[in-house]
Amino acid sequence: MKFTGKLKSFLVCFLMVGVTAFAQTTTQKKVEVSDSELGKIATAFQGVQEINVQAQQKMMETVKDNGFEIDRFNELFKASQSQEKNLEASAEEKEKFGVVMSKMQEMQSGFQKEMEEVITKEGISLDRYQEVAVALQTDAELQKRLQALLAKQQ
């Protein structure tokens, strides 16, 4: 199944909001991660990515099954997130959009549980996974180590 760039980024953002909802904000600091722990995180990361791909496919199907073109759904979603909310939509379209968003929120909760299970199955707490994920955003050395482990696992 081919994903459009717009929908893919919407779905990734939609899912990541849920994934990060279980974690508390951490301050930026140097995080020490052993090779063994980073290996577990790499394995969990791959599992989370697989769930993300499945989620994207299911969400796209939900959008299409409810009679939306992907681009139109994205327009409505962006408008719903905007302060201006100046996009025209019929009452029927607004109702369908609400139904799709409700279904996606239900699915998102299931996907989040699956992701949490993948992480904890590796023996990593959700807080620790989030702490390392935050550190990975700014720590180039840690990023290189993770990329090397991911390359070995493939």
Side-chain angles (χ1 to χ4, degrees):
M1 180 178 290
K2 186 177 179 182
F3 297 110
T4 64
K6 289 179 187 177
L7 182 65
K8 188 172 183 178
S9 49
F10 156 71
L11 293 173
V12 169
C13 289
F14 186 80
L15 288 170
M16 294 317 292
V17 166
V19 170
T20 57
F22 65 81
Q24 296 177 352
T25 305
T26 58
T27 57
Q28 291 289 342
K29 61 181 180 178
K30 181 81 171 158
V31 175
E32 297 297 322
V33 183
S34 70
D35 288 342
S36 171
E37 183 181 32
L38 195 58
K40 292 176 183 180
I41 288 170
T43 301
F45 178 76
Q46 287 179 320
V48 167
Q49 280 187 312
E50 289 174 20
I51 293 166
N52 261 322
V53 169
Q54 293 169 3
Q56 289 172 10
Q57 290 172 340
K58 288 180 182 176
M59 288 182 174
M60 280 187 66
E61 289 170 12
T62 299
V63 168
K64 289 179 180 179
D65 289 349
N66 283 276
F68 276 108
E69 293 293 323
I70 300 301
D71 289 339
R72 180 60 178 160
F73 180 82
N74 284 331
E75 288 174 11
L76 292 171
F77 179 76
K78 285 179 185 175
S80 75
Q81 302 300 304
S82 168
Q83 298 281 333
E84 298 168 20
K85 299 186 188 292
N86 59 358
L87 186 66
E88 295 292 321
S90 68
E92 178 187 354
E93 212 173 27
K94 288 177 183 177
E95 185 177 334
K96 283 193 319 186
F97 178 78
V99 168
V100 172
M101 288 304 296
S102 178
K103 287 179 182 180
M104 285 187 172
Q105 287 171 345
E106 287 175 27
M107 288 189 292
Q108 189 238 359
S109 133
F111 296 134
Q112 182 176 334
K113 272 192 167 100
E114 288 180 49
M115 290 177 194
E116 290 172 2
E117 288 172 8
V118 164
I119 294 166
T120 57
K121 185 176 120 186
E122 289 301 318
I124 304 164
S125 74
L126 299 176
D127 287 339
R128 179 61 176 167
Y129 184 86
Q130 180 65 21
E131 180 183 23
V132 174
V134 169
L136 279 163
Q137 294 175 13
T138 58
D139 187 335
E141 179 186 328
L142 190 56
Q143 290 172 9
K144 287 178 187 174
R145 288 175 55 208
L146 179 65
Q147 289 170 350
L149 284 170
L150 288 170
K152 282 183 187 176
Q153 289 180 357
Q154 291 179 352

